[in-house]
Amino acid sequence: MKRFIKILKANNLLKIIEEPVDIDLEIAHLAYIEAKKGENGKALLFTKPISKKENKNYEFPVLMNTFCNEKALNLALTRSYEEVADEIKQLSKLHIPQGLKAKFDFFKMLLSLKKAPPKRLNGKGDFTFKELKSLNELPILKTWEKDGGKFITMGQVYTKSLDNTQNNLGMYRLQVSGENELLMHWQIHKDGANFFNEYKKAGRKMPVSIAIGGDPLYIWCSQAPLPKGIFELLLFGFIKKTPAKLVKCESNDIFVPKDSDIVIEGFIDTNEFKIEGPFGDHTGFYTPAELFPVMRVEKIYAKRNAIYQATVVGKPPLEDKIMGLGTERIFLPLLQTSVPDLLDYKMPENGVFHNLILAKIAPKYPAHAQQIMHAFWGVGQMSFVKHAIFVDEKAPNLNDYEALIPYILDRFKPSNLLITSGICDQLDHASPNACFGGKAGLDASGEKSSEDIDKISDKALFELFSSKLEIKALKQFYPESKAPITCILLDKKEKIKTSFEKLLEFKKHFKILVFLDSTNCLENPYMLVWRVVNNIDAQRDIFISEHCVGIDASAKGELEGYTRTWPLQTDCTKSVIDDLILRNILEKDPILFKKFELY
């Protein structure tokens, strides 16, 4: 990690904070705000982490926002993500070479794959320099005020199958529940959880080791959506053209990277669970407190001058945006092997990855888009996607939202909406049931719609709607398109479906109505999209009446028969922000604070 910090500094991508900063909220809040500066954001190195609550100074500096922008991502990859994607694309289209040069290139490519598998070394790793007595010696952060405690947020979690035939590297959050005890939050769909079930069925303890730091590409690989059974460090070797070098842990038989900064070894008793959470997660909402396995820590090692790497997740955009960009681009060629007519796809960061995906396809026959929708929902982690919009090859670039959205709306037809159900991310809060719920796919390929509406001003539409409902505000987005999106703010007094039906009297003036709680801001479409795709379950919250669609993006409760606890969103603690500004550690930026709804 020291080596990469030098690289970040040499490329003007590192900000060093020498002032003492608290592991309780302060470090996370600073990183949270820095990540929202886009390409101007930098990695943050906190050289003096402290705990005011415990009156403690920590030995190890904290690195946040390692993947601060695209340049930092490419530095971690040691080449551009486009180059990696191109290489995967070539491999996915291997054929019998013709000609001497083609044959030479073919064998050269095959030989390069020899360097992909990780190499197990004899002896100990760099981390054996110092043994720590407890987790309390590490500057583990509390990132949000309502979090259940301190969490390791960038731990590389190494596990193996019961029969020793498979190894896995995952990125799961870990809550500190004791001096040498962690709670392992792996979701039921993850490989680590599948291995856990094997050990539980056999009645055996499960070995687990957590590495922190080392080469930053390790942690990126940990979240890569590789097919089941493929060890994530194979991807490391493929990208770097040199194998990851692993050494065996001392208290269990897990292998971890030799250059890890910190290693935590231990076992999970598959019969022991404790309440983990709440935790402010990457959706921008707190996930609830639930039972998760307990990891008993056997040993903790740190190498000389170790760096503690961490991240903060919450409302977008954050560091996971950049990590997700690498995943999106690098894995497009692999996705195209399952969906050959997929030309491109985009995961908008305010769709928090699984909540919204845009896809460009080459439709060849009727219902081709619907066929691809089903293919998406059946492929690996794409099966978690809640909402997908498909356009054809004539559509604007998927990154050009200002051109793309009108293109979609000009082709919007309720009849082209496919609403179904399936598995969803365990972190999703909108669905009535944990881990499965509604999904929606929109086919916006083809020609412009011939249908039109009688367009009137926001003021006139507000007056019409107010004759039927008590609404707080209204705004039409993309009013020049065939199907403007009309957002309505209200204090809900009845089921939104009932409110929608009352407004159908004026259906000649609208196509799409989106209902939101009055606490939203209609002048902030970025955050509106984030809230809408988070808050809806397609089967429950999308209403279709002939040529009109209503969407209930309000918070749910008894009125809708929602029996789970609707979560709070992750907001910064204003007193912490004010104090950081007062100490001249944070620059006050009212425009940025308002744009991303800090509190």
Side-chain angles (χ1 to χ4, degrees):
M1 189 54 70
K2 279 279 189 181
R3 182 193 61 81
F4 192 68
I5 285 173
K6 289 179 181 178
I7 292 172
L8 289 171
K9 188 174 182 180
N11 284 273
N12 194 29
L13 294 176
L14 181 69
K15 181 178 179 181
I16 300 174
I17 299 176
E18 300 282 4
E19 295 88 347
V21 185
D22 204 329
I23 62 167
D24 190 348
L25 302 184
E26 288 186 351
I27 288 177
H29 280 18
L30 287 167
Y32 181 75
I33 293 168
E34 185 71 21
K36 296 185 183 301
K37 296 178 182 178
E39 287 300 301
N40 295 319
K42 295 185 178 183
L44 302 181
L45 181 64
F46 298 88
T47 61
K48 297 177 182 175
I50 64 170
S51 172
K52 296 174 187 174
K53 183 179 178 181
E54 299 175 18
N55 191 27
K56 179 184 291 187
N57 298 319
Y58 290 94
E59 174 185 352
F60 306 109
V62 176
L63 180 67
M64 302 289 287
N65 295 350
T66 308
F67 299 91
C68 54
N69 56 28
E70 288 189 38
K71 186 175 182 180
L73 172 64
N74 288 335
L75 289 170
L77 294 168
T78 64
R79 49 187 173 140
S80 73
Y81 56 79
E82 291 98 339
E83 183 183 335
V84 179
D86 286 343
E87 187 176 353
I88 291 175
K89 186 175 182 178
Q90 292 174 32
L91 283 171
S92 69
K93 295 183 177 180
L94 283 179
H95 58 275
I96 299 172
Q98 302 295 321
L100 185 60
K101 184 179 183 303
K103 289 178 180 178
F104 178 78
D105 291 342
F106 175 80
F107 286 110
K108 184 179 177 182
M109 183 180 292
L110 291 182
L111 285 171
S112 72
L113 297 179
K114 289 178 62 178
K115 300 176 182 178
K119 183 180 293 185
R120 293 183 172 183
L121 306 178
N122 295 320
K124 299 179 179 179
D126 300 338
F127 58 84
T128 57
F129 174 74
K130 180 179 181 180
E131 184 172 351
L132 308 184
K133 293 180 181 178
S134 79
L135 295 167
N136 292 336
E137 296 184 54
L138 298 175
I140 301 172
L141 308 182
K142 181 178 180 182
T143 53
W144 297 107
E145 182 178 332
K146 297 185 186 302
D147 279 357
K150 298 189 294 184
F151 287 82
I152 295 173
T153 52
M154 258 193 169
Q156 308 155 34
V157 180
Y158 291 88
T159 56
K160 63 173 186 171
S161 61
L162 181 64
D163 62 5
N164 268 333
T165 61
Q166 295 181 42
N167 295 280
N168 182 255
L169 164 59
M171 182 179 175
Y172 315 121
R173 74 183 192 230
L174 299 117
Q175 182 177 349
V176 178
S177 54
E179 283 195 356
N180 285 302
E181 183 180 284
L182 293 165
L183 304 180
M184 181 71 71
H185 184 103
W186 44 37
Q187 298 162 43
I188 63 172
H189 307 107
K190 303 297 184 181
D191 286 344
N194 293 332
F195 290 169
F196 171 86
N197 292 332
E198 292 177 5
Y199 283 90
K200 184 173 178 61
K201 189 175 180 180
R204 289 176 55 185
K205 289 195 302 181
M206 178 179 179
V208 179
S209 289
I210 301 149
I212 297 171
D215 194 306
L217 192 55
Y218 298 141
I219 197 67
W220 183 85
C221 289
S222 73
Q223 51 82 61
L226 289 168
K228 182 177 174 60
I230 295 181
F231 189 21
E232 286 73 11
L233 288 185
L234 283 165
L235 181 59
F236 176 97
F238 172 79
I239 292 172
K240 289 236 174 180
K241 301 306 176 192
T242 186
K245 296 177 177 61
L246 310 180
V247 292
K248 186 178 176 294
C249 291
E250 292 195 7
S251 63
N252 62 32
D253 53 1
I254 299 290
F255 283 76
V256 297
K258 181 178 185 293
D259 60 339
S260 302
D261 281 61
I262 298 162
V263 172
I264 303 167
E265 304 174 4
F267 291 86
I268 288 177
D269 182 335
T270 56
N271 293 311
E272 186 178 11
F273 297 82
K274 286 188 179 180
I275 292 292
E276 186 264 5
F279 177 74
D281 222 309
H282 78 272
T283 59
F285 289 83
Y286 285 92
T287 49
E290 294 180 295
L291 288 170
F292 278 92
V294 176
M295 176 181 172
R296 299 288 178 184
V297 175
E298 300 280 335
K299 286 193 176 183
I300 308 171
Y301 296 100
K303 70 179 182 182
R304 186 189 299 272
N305 300 322
I307 303 293
Y308 180 83
Q309 186 184 17
T311 191
V312 58
V313 291
K315 288 182 284 189
L318 290 172
E319 181 180 14
D320 55 4
K321 166 191 171 180
I322 302 300
M323 297 177 75
L325 172 66
T327 301
E328 172 193 289
R329 295 296 90 198
I330 287 172
F331 283 87
L332 173 60
L334 286 179
L335 188 56
Q336 287 171 323
T337 62
S338 299
V339 190
D341 295 306
L342 175 68
L343 303 177
D344 197 8
Y345 79 114
K346 175 74 178 175
M347 300 185 291
E349 77 252 19
N350 51 344
V352 292
F353 310 114
H354 60 269
N355 280 343
L356 177 64
I357 280 189
L358 309 173
K360 183 178 286 191
I361 62 173
K364 294 181 171 62
Y365 39 79
H368 197 173
Q370 286 86 341
Q371 181 188 37
I372 294 176
M373 289 176 200
H374 288 295
F376 257 58
W377 288 325
V379 177
Q381 292 192 26
M382 281 292 172
S383 59
F384 297 130
V385 171
K386 286 174 62 179
H387 313 109
I389 300 174
F390 295 81
V391 295
D392 55 30
E393 63 266 62
K394 298 176 185 176
N397 188 291
L398 296 182
N399 291 303
D400 185 0
Y401 296 148
E402 286 308 305
L404 181 66
I405 294 172
Y407 186 91
I408 292 168
L409 295 176
D410 282 344
R411 288 154 181 80
F412 177 84
K413 294 179 183 178
S415 59
N416 285 346
L417 265 174
L418 173 64
I419 296 177
T420 183
S421 65
I423 67 167
C424 59
D425 194 297
Q426 193 169 350
L427 304 180
D428 177 65
H429 66 265
S431 57
N433 312 286
C435 303
F436 69 97
K439 295 174 179 285
L442 173 65
D443 178 5
S445 63
E447 300 302 317
K448 273 189 178 183
S449 171
S450 58
E451 301 170 3
D452 215 334
I453 61 171
D454 180 9
K455 297 169 184 174
I456 57 177
S457 67
D458 285 355
K459 182 180 179 182
L461 194 58
F462 180 88
E463 289 174 354
L464 281 179
F465 285 1
S466 295
S467 68
K468 296 292 181 182
L469 288 178
E470 184 181 337
I471 64 175
K472 301 293 183 181
L474 174 152
K475 183 177 178 65
Q476 297 177 89
F477 292 90
Y478 301 96
E480 301 306 314
S481 70
K482 292 279 189 178
I485 301 171
T486 303
C487 289
I488 299 169
L489 302 188
L490 78 171
D491 292 325
K492 184 169 54 176
K493 294 181 172 63
E494 60 187 358
K495 288 184 177 181
I496 293 297
K497 185 176 182 181
T498 302
S499 300
F500 171 67
E501 290 169 349
K502 288 179 179 178
L503 299 181
L504 288 174
E505 179 180 334
F506 312 112
K507 62 184 179 182
K508 68 177 182 178
H509 299 301
F510 68 83
K511 202 82 163 177
I512 304 169
L513 295 185
V514 181
F515 297 82
L516 298 116
D517 296 311
S518 61
T519 51
N520 285 273
C521 175
L522 292 178
E523 304 308 315
N524 194 344
Y526 179 94
M527 296 306 293
L528 286 177
V529 170
W530 165 76
R531 193 162 280 111
V532 169
V533 297
N534 256 303
N535 280 1
I536 65 174
D537 176 88
Q539 288 191 315
R540 180 193 60 216
D541 299 328
I542 296 179
F543 324 118
I544 299 174
S545 178
E546 297 180 358
H547 305 297
C548 302
V549 172
I551 300 173
D552 177 6
S554 67
K556 307 303 186 299
E558 290 183 11
L559 200 60
E560 295 82 13
Y562 183 87
T563 56
R564 302 165 70 190
T565 300
W566 194 264
L568 297 172
Q569 65 185 39
T570 54
D571 292 325
C572 290
T573 302
K574 190 174 185 301
S575 60
V576 172
I577 298 296
D578 291 343
D579 187 58
L580 289 167
I581 293 170
L582 189 65
R583 288 153 54 196
N584 293 317
I585 298 174
L586 175 66
E587 182 180 349
K588 189 173 183 179
D589 189 342
I591 295 174
L592 184 142
F593 290 7
K594 184 178 180 180
K595 179 179 179 181
F596 296 113
E597 299 182 4
L598 254 63
Y599 39 69

